[in-house]
């Protein structure tokens, strides 16, 4: 939430430079921005002081240490969930891309509906993937019977 307001404050600060500086509302907005910036700086210093004090004597803060461990455990669970969601989304995007590629005509590039075997625009067979040559590894266009690099017959 702080990031949203911090970003919004940055936008307002940028806009205030475009407004007449003698306007009382602009002066008020500039003063509010300055107070917010200084408050954020003070909070950052307090945070650093607390971190240093905890590192020097963790036993002096047993309740906060327990809360910190709980937060760190929850953070690890949340990070694992985020990583899994990111992985799942990437897999879903890849599957969608593969499905679209299977429906896209290798000859004319038209995307066809699911379930059709031949392009509705030019009649070319759909689903033919690029064939890699077993001899030299060269990628060849779909439907190619011989490698364009070494002449090796491609499997069909």
């Amino acid at each position: 939430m702080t990031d949203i307001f911090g970003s919004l404050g940055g936008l307002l600060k940028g806009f205030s430079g475009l407004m007449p500086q003698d306007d009382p509302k602009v002066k008020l907005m500039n003063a509010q921005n300055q107070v917010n910036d200084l408050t954020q700086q003070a909070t950052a210093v307090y945070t650093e002081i607390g971190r240093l004090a905890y590192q020097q004597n963790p036993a002096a803060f047993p309740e906060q240490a327990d809360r910190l461990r709980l937060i760190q455990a929850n953070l690890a669970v949340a990070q694992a969930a985020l990583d899994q969601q990111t992985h799942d989304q990437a897999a879903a995007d890849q599957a969608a891309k593969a499905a679209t590629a299977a429906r896209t005509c290798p000859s004319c590039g038209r995307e066809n509906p699911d379930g059709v075997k031949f392009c509705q625009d030019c009649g070319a067979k759909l689903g033919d993937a690029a064939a890699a040559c077993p001899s030299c590894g060269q990628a060849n266009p779909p439907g190619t019977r011989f490698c364009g690099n070494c002449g090796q017959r491609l499997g069909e």
Side-chain angles (χ1 to χ4, degrees):
M1 194 63 114
T2 304
D3 290 338
I4 293 171
F5 291 123
S7 298
L8 188 58
L11 281 172
L12 291 175
K13 192 185 308 181
F15 286 133
S16 71
L18 302 173
M19 302 167 108
Q21 295 301 306
D22 58 345
D23 185 334
K25 290 181 181 179
V26 173
K27 287 181 180 181
L28 176 64
M29 186 171 54
N30 287 337
Q32 287 172 335
N33 283 333
Q34 185 178 19
V35 168
N36 289 339
D37 287 346
L38 292 171
T39 301
Q40 287 176 350
Q41 290 175 23
T43 300
V45 171
Y46 280 125
T47 301
E48 185 62 24
I49 290 169
R51 186 176 300 117
L52 292 171
Y54 178 74
Q55 287 172 348
Q56 290 177 359
N57 188 8
F61 307 97
E63 290 178 26
Q64 290 80 6
D66 289 342
R67 286 184 14 219
L68 182 59
R69 280 190 289 277
L70 179 61
I71 290 168
Q72 288 171 334
N74 289 337
L75 178 60
V77 170
Q79 184 64 51
L82 175 62
D83 292 346
Q84 184 63 46
Q85 289 294 323
T86 302
H87 174 62
D88 292 350
Q89 184 63 47
D93 290 347
Q94 185 64 27
K97 186 176 179 181
T100 299
R103 293 189 319 262
T104 301
C105 178
S107 295
C108 70
R110 180 175 193 250
E111 187 176 332
N112 291 274
D114 282 332
V116 299
K117 295 181 181 181
F118 295 90
C119 178
Q120 293 179 332
D121 202 27
C122 71
K125 185 175 180 187
L126 297 178
D128 284 344
C133 177
S135 178
C136 70
Q138 172 75 30
N140 292 278
T144 304
R145 294 175 40 188
F146 295 92
C147 177
N149 188 45
C150 69
Q152 172 73 34
R153 183 172 178 79
L154 302 175
E156 288 188 32

